[in-house]
């Protein structure tokens, strides 16, 4: 059920329906905490949804906190140069850039570009997103 709410966050995010994001992110968070606890690998997607909702609402400190937690969880179960780690880093880099922590955001985004160029097809949107973040 938590995964369904994470999907709703992604759908509403694509539709720019910010008003719907927080409710589904909070439901996913509460359900997943009760089901698997705070450090389970499944929490990566949930925490990313929570961070996405916060970032869309301009709550960048809350977004950073959620993305930091997501990165911490995924780093426990995946290698540092893996695609899941890079995806979590990209989310965190975006929040950090909004908060003015440009040095750390740049370091994370640079790592993302390296991983994405190796793991994703040429022209993938994530590569372009990481490059755009670096340019910003």
């Amino acid at each position: 059920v938590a995964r369904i709410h994470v999907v709703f966050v992604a759908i509403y995010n694509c539709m720019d329906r910010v008003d719907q994001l927080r409710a589904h992110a909070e439901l996913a968070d509460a359900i997943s905490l009760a089901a698997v606890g705070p450090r389970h690998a499944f929490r990566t997607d949930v925490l990313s949804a929570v961070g996405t909702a916060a970032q869309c609402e301009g709550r960048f400190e809350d977004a950073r906190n959620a993305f930091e937690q997501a990165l911490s969880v995924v780093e426990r179960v995946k290698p540092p140069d893996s695609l899941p780690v890079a995806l979590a880093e990209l989310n965190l880099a975006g929040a950090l850039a909004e908060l003015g922590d440009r040095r750390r955001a740049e370091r994370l985004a640079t790592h993302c570009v390296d991983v994405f160029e190796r793991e994703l097809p040429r022209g993938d949107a994530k590569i372009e997103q990481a490059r755009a973040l670096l340019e910003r």
Side-chain angles (χ1 to χ4, degrees):
V1 173
R3 188 172 299 281
I4 291 168
H5 288 288
V6 168
V7 170
F8 278 129
V9 170
I11 291 167
Y12 286 128
N13 188 32
C14 289
M15 296 170 58
D16 279 334
R17 295 279 311 274
V18 176
D19 57 323
Q20 300 291 323
L21 295 179
R22 185 187 280 197
H24 288 287
E26 288 175 352
L27 284 168
D29 192 36
I31 292 166
S32 69
L33 275 173
V36 299
R39 305 277 302 157
H40 191 277
F42 171 70
R43 295 275 299 151
T44 303
D45 292 340
V46 172
L47 290 163
S48 294
V50 169
T52 297
Q55 192 160 8
C56 287
E57 293 178 337
R59 297 180 294 113
F60 300 113
E61 189 62 37
D62 291 341
R64 184 195 60 80
N65 289 337
F67 292 145
E68 287 272 15
Q69 290 176 49
L71 180 58
S72 174
V73 170
V74 76
E75 285 178 329
R76 285 188 316 100
V77 296
K78 297 291 183 183
D81 285 337
S82 68
L83 189 56
V85 169
L87 290 167
E89 288 175 334
L90 181 59
N91 287 337
L92 178 56
L96 291 170
E98 292 293 341
L99 291 168
D101 188 347
R102 306 250 186 253
R103 179 172 286 160
R104 186 167 179 220
E106 181 179 0
R107 183 178 54 80
L108 290 171
T110 299
H111 181 250
C112 292
V113 169
D114 292 343
V115 172
F116 292 163
E117 286 180 342
R118 186 181 67 246
E119 298 292 329
L120 297 173
R122 179 174 290 169
D124 188 277
K126 289 295 179 187
I127 298 170
E128 299 311 314
Q129 184 182 355
R131 285 183 181 152
L133 183 59
L134 277 173
E135 289 175 15
R136 213 174 47 157

